[in-house]
Amino acid sequence: MPKLKPDTQKARREHILDAAERCFAREGFQGTTMKDICRDAGVSLGALYVYFASKEDLIAGITERDRSKLTAQLTEVAAAPDLLAALARLGEHYTVEEPRYKQQLVIEIGSASVRSGPVGEIFRACDAAVLAQFEGLFARAEAEGKIAPKLNAKLLAQTIAVLGDGLFWRRAVDPNFDASAMVPIITALIGSLLNPIPAPAPYEPAPAAPAHLEVNS
Amino acid sequence: MPKLKPDTQKARREHILDAAERCFAREGFQGTTMKDICRDAGVSLGALYVYFASKEDLIAGITERDRSKLTAQLTEVAAAPDLLAALARLGEHYTVEEPRYKQQLVIEIGSASVRSGPVGEIFRACDAAVLAQFEGLFARAEAEGKIAPKLNAKLLAQTIAVLGDGLFWRRAVDPNFDASAMVPIITALIGSLLNPIPAPAPYEPAPAAPAHLEVNS
Amino acid sequence: MPKLKPDTQKARREHILDAAERCFAREGFQGTTMKDICRDAGVSLGALYVYFASKEDLIAGITERDRSKLTAQLTEVAAAPDLLAALARLGEHYTVEEPRYKQQLVIEIGSASVRSGPVGEIFRACDAAVLAQFEGLFARAEAEGKIAPKLNAKLLAQTIAVLGDGLFWRRAVDPNFDASAMVPIITALIGSLLNPIPAPAPYEPAPAAPAHLEVNS
Amino acid sequence: MPKLKPDTQKARREHILDAAERCFAREGFQGTTMKDICRDAGVSLGALYVYFASKEDLIAGITERDRSKLTAQLTEVAAAPDLLAALARLGEHYTVEEPRYKQQLVIEIGSASVRSGPVGEIFRACDAAVLAQFEGLFARAEAEGKIAPKLNAKLLAQTIAVLGDGLFWRRAVDPNFDASAMVPIITALIGSLLNPIPAPAPYEPAPAAPAHLEVNS
DNA sequence: CATGAATGAGCGTTCATTCAT
DNA sequence: GATGAATGAACGCTCATTCAT
């Protein structure tokens, strides 16, 4: 039976995970030492091992936390009235608002995921879940007559993934990358893929187009 | 004088670089030991250090080689009669023909590039060169009336980079990714960005569009 | 909090330093491996690095300890009623009582001191301090009318250094060197340099001569 | 049968030995690599091994050469009309005229000599020879009525060695050491030990004493 | 529970020496 | 003879992990 209150435990875990994120993003997974993380988190080595059994357990924890945040946000997107706008908002959040080190961390995680071990499994499971969420989202939207894509829902989801991950990567790797200029362009491309059908607003001629950016009309 | 012939030297370097590529892709940069590379290349530790001064020198060499191959291929693309087809061909080459470990290596290099050191500099220099090549390519194509894009050449180049890197990433990270299905879709998106103008073929009305996929008509 | 008590820490440091002294004297600085020292001290490699950051830190520590012991002993000499006897005692201590490996260590340190690095700085600083101590000692003795040297205090100090270091060197390098026979001879030479003035003992005709050097009559 | 003329061989050996001396003095024995010596001598690695079988063979060669030079010079001293002047001249040569790196090399050799191996044997053999030469020198001088020392010839030789080696050491180790000021002082001390008897020059009252410093009157 | 000293396998790298050319 | 590429044992040092306090 834990002597510490579960709340405190949870908070401590999160605190260490935050420190580990910063360190891994800065120095890479293998380039970060357990001591680095302790220093950054302000805890002792022994304390760290109370909460995480190993270094790998740390990235596993980070991966789990990050990706579960993403699936949560996708659930919100599913509920949004304007699908495209919600997606644009999501892209904006991840590539403009979040600090750059978060994207660098994603690269680190992706890199670790190709090696065997728990990280890869968590990463791929989350990735598959995200793709499935997208697929479901698009299938429903099409069934409801909100979009009229040329591609089936599965391919659509995969294409979105390519675009989103491309944004991630560029942001992480290119210091001159202007994410806020790129998000609308990518959004427009997604728009052209989804081909949204304007809601029939009787008596009011619908505003001509999705209008974010008329990439090619 | 028993100095090795430059040819042999060059070949040996390439051979070691190949082994290092495989190892780095498999285990990551820091997860690979110099001994691993020697075993894979079939050379002794001492011999390796005749050709490369350090582990970092190895990734620097790999980065340089890989990226110079890319710029060479881009020069070929620039000379191709059908720009879009050449780009599609390039994407096909990198994401379908090349073994998957090459993409995983790119991730490793990108990951290493965010840390300070020579790798980052080489990586970013090459990346900038590639972007500049694309920009020049598109500027010329527009000046020659071959394409009529909505975006300026610079943004166009950056968008292409997002799409291309997204392909790389998905291929590396998702074992279920079907690159050959995705390349045409991405090509179509690029087509919609470039908006190529069909060569005026008298008497014959040119086929309306690249038609793979009429992204939005 | 399980931080070791400062006493224990200090003792452990000294223990390792002792082992390092023996090893360095036996095999030389570069000829000694960190593992040798660990074996001799009975500690693990990791433990050694808790107390000393590097191999160089070890000789720096030794140099500092040895030379600070010397300056302490010189302070005692300064306070002694009979200067010459105190000096003889000092020479006796270093070249007869101390084990021979200590002299060999001095040679090792001197050898290392000519190369750049912290060892040289510490060594020279201590050496300069010792010379200055000697100089002050002699200046005071002369002012107080205890000695009547032909040389000024500075040259006197340097000459003493030559004699003392010569003793050191011979002891270290020549297995047949008979230090206990040599110390009185060197002492007599020093006596002839210092030219001590016998304390005026009234009513008693002072013993015939300063007799500095009737080494063997 | 050697293809090269013995002269060329000899010259090459000397040339390599010179380079090795410089390197060993600069970086120490173990701190010098065979490549360092090759670079300094301008020969290839393979060539070096034609002339010297190993690194140890190099210091053995150096030791032999240096020490045989010393014994040769002592033979000259023995033949000199004025013993004390000749000794002063010798000290002057070694500690003032020779470059400082030569003294540092002696320290290196002495340091190496305490370890087992051929260097120690050569060093000690030469050292014993030098002491014996001195002893013979002094015994003869005393028999011939040229000197009237208080010490026997053996102790005399050992004391000279202490003084000479002290000079060596100080010169090597103390960058502020003024050898040219110290040599006359040490010479005077030696004078006081030897106690030379002025040649009876009839009718001319012999000049009172060596007078540099009347160590003990 | 918390601490940080201790462990030791394993890392990147060096270098004396050999030997095919 | 001369060359320098090749060898591989051995070095100084690191760090994930354990555990006595």
Side-chain angles (χ1 to χ4, degrees), chain B residues 200-215:
Chain B
Y203 293 104
E204 272 191 82
H212 296 292
L213 183 84
E214 304 177 26
V215 171

Side-chain angles (χ1 to χ4, degrees), chain C residues 49-129:
Chain C
Y49 276 95
V50 169
Y51 295 96
F52 296 93
S54 67
K55 204 177 177 183
E56 198 154 49
D57 203 19
L58 274 167
I59 350 179
I62 290 172
T63 308
E64 197 123 31
R65 190 174 72 164
D66 279 22
R67 297 274 138 169
S68 78
K69 179 186 151 200
L70 178 54
T71 56
Q73 286 185 310
L74 273 185
T75 311
E76 281 180 34
V77 167
D82 184 343
L83 180 57
L84 198 55
L87 283 174
R89 185 75 199 79
L90 193 63
E92 191 89 5
H93 171 71
Y94 274 113
T95 54
V96 180
E97 290 165 13
E98 290 253 67
R100 198 173 157 223
Y101 83 84
K102 290 272 184 181
Q103 266 90 57
Q104 290 170 340
L105 183 63
V106 171
I107 294 200
E108 203 56 42
I109 293 173
S111 178
S113 84
V114 309
R115 256 89 70 190
S116 60
V119 179
E121 263 142 60
I122 295 172
F123 181 87
R124 277 186 295 278
C126 292
D127 203 61

Side-chain angles (χ1 to χ4, degrees), chain C residues 159-207:
Chain C
T159 312
I160 301 285
V162 169
L163 299 179
D165 288 350
L167 273 175
F168 256 79
W169 173 270
R170 293 305 305 171
R171 172 96 200 282
V173 136
D174 180 357
N176 301 125
F177 185 68
D178 180 359
S180 52
M182 193 51 64
V183 167
I185 299 175
I186 299 298
T187 305
L189 284 180
I190 294 175
S192 75
L193 287 170
L194 295 184
N195 192 21
I197 296 163
Y203 294 102
E204 273 189 82

